[in-house]
Amino acid sequence: MEKPRRNFIKKAGIIAASTTILPNFAFGSILPQQKKLGVALVGLGYYSTDLLAPALQLTKHCELKGIVTGSPEKIPVWKEKYNLNDKNIYTYDDFDKIANNDDIDVVYVVLPPSMHAEYTIRAAKAGKHVWCEKPMAPTVADCEAMIKACKDNNVKLSIGYRCQHDPNIQAYMKVGKEQPFGKVKMINSAAGYFDGRTNHWKQQKEMGGGVMGDMGVYAIQGARLATGEEPIAVLANTFTTRPEIYHEVEESAMFQLEFPSGARASCHTSYGISMNYLKVIYEKGSLQMEPHSSYRGNNGSMSDGTIINFPIENQQAKQMDDDALALINGTDLIVPGEEGLRDITVVEAVYKSAAQNCQVKL
């Protein structure tokens, strides 16, 4: 058993060593310590309360300095828990005054998707860098307006795609780029969970609901990141098994993507089915990830026995530290606004294909 064990260690070591050349592994050891960036969370729902605020307590290069909320009853709780200064607490009405607050360097927009464009643009006009949760926005036009506003006001825009900061995801991206198994031939990418809620923004069209923009982007990214290409055609179908809940937006979607290299992807996403995996078939091998897009524990393996299983303490903390370092050092963001735009371009094509029952060229 010693020889196979040594081979496993060798292969795992090669992957671990090779991923260190990826952008977000190149920072911490060579940069001097600098002031932490002050972050204001806009919207205090589940993701801010249970994930982002706790993650900010783990970061080295940014810190929670302010909040923006429409719920006055939440303010005393957040003030006490995170020792927030009164001058760093805003409502949606007086949000624009944040322009005069030097404590806040970054505004993190964590609102329903229909509000992302408005608050990204307002933050940009206030001279603050913007981190925006996914989906970036309901439409391509919104995404383009967000990108333009940030460029016009000389601030940076990053989308909260935590997975692209995860070394396990970066490992399969590297395989697609370096092609040790040859070109990608076929992909199966799925992301979904059973959502028992009946009155949430995810079920409301006006709020930017629907599974495609939410879980669907994970399925899209599985294919895009595995190939390193952008799709050129989409064929899709959307459906629901609970029309009493999902009567405004789709509960599930199935779609096929075609890439310039000839690679094809079969993608699935749902609020009614739990699924979380990526399978990639190359010319001379294969790779699979399961889970593929979880908050923790993403892992996989390759057909040559290589294991993808890198420890990561907290995805959200890693994401925010990576983005903070990019802002501090003037380097490229791992997930700029253009990356969010690419996904929403596909999302719009999925809707068009499903509505017209035909393939849509991109």
Side-chain angles (χ1 to χ4, degrees), residues 4 103 176 236:
D103 286 352

Side-chain angles (χ1 to χ4, degrees), residues 114-126:
S114 61
M115 303 172 73
H116 285 184
E118 177 187 350
Y119 282 88
T120 293
I121 292 169
R122 288 171 69 178
K125 289 180 178 180

Side-chain angles (χ1 to χ4, degrees), residues 54-218:
L56 279 162
Q57 311 314 302
L58 305 175
T59 54
K60 298 177 181 178
H61 305 287
C62 53
E63 59 184 329
L64 178 62
K65 296 292 286 187
I67 55 174
V68 182
T69 180
S71 303
E73 71 278 6
K74 295 181 180 181
I75 293 175
V77 177
W78 280 72
K79 278 182 61 177
E80 180 178 357
K81 187 170 185 177
Y82 296 110
N83 193 30
L84 299 177
N85 193 306
D86 283 334
K87 72 183 182 69
N88 295 342
I89 297 173
Y90 298 88
T91 67
Y92 297 127
D93 291 334
D94 66 6
F95 170 74
D96 302 295
K97 293 180 181 179
I98 206 167
N100 303 316
N101 193 333
D102 292 337
D103 286 352
I104 308 301
D105 302 291
V106 180
V107 167
Y108 198 146
V109 179
V110 200
L111 296 164
S114 61
M115 303 172 73
H116 285 184
E118 177 187 350
Y119 282 88
T120 293
I121 292 169
R122 288 171 69 178
K125 289 180 178 180
K128 305 301 179 182
H129 299 295
V130 184
W131 299 342
C132 180
E133 255 315 299
K134 64 91 186 149
M136 182 175 176
T139 68
V140 165
D142 284 340
C143 295
E144 291 173 340
M146 293 160 72
I147 292 169
K148 183 178 186 300
C150 289
K151 287 183 176 178
D152 288 349
N153 290 279
N154 198 32
V155 297
K156 297 293 186 179
L157 171 61
S158 180
I159 308 305
Y161 286 163
R162 56 187 169 75
C163 285
Q164 291 195 35
H165 299 261
D166 186 327
N168 296 285
I169 306 306
Q170 292 173 344
Y172 83 72
M173 292 171 63
K174 183 177 174 64
V175 173
K177 181 178 180 179
E178 298 188 352
Q179 299 186 351
F181 304 116
K183 293 181 179 180
V184 175
K185 303 299 288 184
M186 181 64 70
I187 299 166
N188 193 334
S189 181
Y193 68 97
F194 183 84
D195 194 329
R197 293 172 294 191
T198 60
N199 188 28
H200 189 265
W201 67 258
K202 294 183 179 182
Q203 288 104 36
Q204 300 174 31
K205 184 176 180 61
E206 186 179 4
M207 300 297 285
V211 74
M212 272 307 307
D214 184 29
M215 299 306 293
V217 297
Y218 293 121

